[in-house]
Structures are given as C-alpha cells and as structure tokens.
Amino acid sequence: MITLPFTFSSLVSRNASSVESVTISYDTAYDDFSAQVTNLACSSNLTNLGFTNLGSIPGFPYIGGSSAVSSSGSTGCITCWELSYNETNINVLVVDYADEGLNIAQAAMNGLTGGDAQELGILWATAVEVDVTECGM
C-alpha cells in the first residue's frame, strides 16, 4: 500500500451527483489475477458473493482500495466509482481499504492515464460513486 502525502476529503458521501477530487495511486498487487481475496479488507463480502481470487471479480483489473472503506472492511465495500482524468473516464470496483483516496491496479490507472501510471505515480482526479452494475456487479 502506498501512503500518500495529500490531505483527502472523505469519499464516504453516497450522493451520486456529488463529485469529489481525490488522489489516485496504483499498486501492482491488484493486477495479480491469481491473488486471493482473503487478503483484502472486503474479503468477507467478496467470498460471500463467491469470489475467490482477484481475477474472478467482475471488471478485473479495474479494482482497488478506497479510503471510503474502513480498515476492517465493515463499511464502504463493493462500491463502484467513476474516475475522471483529462477527459478519460473509467469505473473501478472498490474491494479494499486505502489510507488516502483510491489506490487501484496499475492496469486501471494506465487505462485512466493513457498508459502513464508509472510515470505519474500519484495524480488528482474526480470520483463519483455510481451503481455497482457499472462495474459489472
């Protein structure tokens, strides 16, 4: 998990019309198709839905962690967020906890940035919660 040096306003707002400015980072652990969901804060939610590894989650690798998720995974799990950066939009399914903003798969961040995830590292983007069906759930 990457610790971000930015102050972050909470993503917990559930008003779909509310757009938040958030930090986006990536972690290649979310790109591992065979990684078990038992290592994620939302593991009980995911296993109850029948998912066993990251690759079995709809929309993989457009997944990641969010500060809207409690570290215990008791709140904020299995939510879908539309991220916008430089006129590009992607949807990311939140399956884990993050210290700040959203920490997503490198492949997802590459989709958001036109392949510049590694070069950018951390960026500011807008995020709005959308229906989980937008993330394949």
Side-chain angles (χ1 to χ4, degrees), residues 54-115:
L54 297 185
S56 67
I57 299 171
F60 173 85
Y62 284 64
I63 62 172
S66 168
S67 60
V69 173
S70 64
S71 60
S72 66
S74 60
T75 59
C77 286
I78 318 301
T79 55
C80 182
W81 293 85
E82 180 182 52
L83 308 180
S84 301
Y85 177 76
N86 287 347
E87 299 182 28
T88 300
N89 300 320
I90 65 167
N91 292 330
V92 172
L93 186 68
V94 170
V95 296
D96 200 10
Y97 164 80
D99 286 334
E100 296 283 337
L102 285 142
N103 188 28
I104 62 178
Q106 183 177 6
M109 191 163 168
N110 276 331
L112 183 62
T113 63

Side-chain angles (χ1 to χ4, degrees), residues 23-68:
T23 56
I24 308 292
S25 59
Y26 73 89
D27 187 332
T28 57
Y30 295 122
D31 293 279
D32 184 354
F33 185 92
S34 63
Q36 299 299 301
V37 300
T38 53
N39 297 325
L40 305 174
C42 301
S43 63
S44 63
N45 304 77
L46 292 164
T47 55
N48 287 341
L49 292 170
F51 304 116
T52 57
N53 60 18
L54 297 185
S56 67
I57 299 171
F60 173 85
Y62 284 64
I63 62 172
S66 168
S67 60

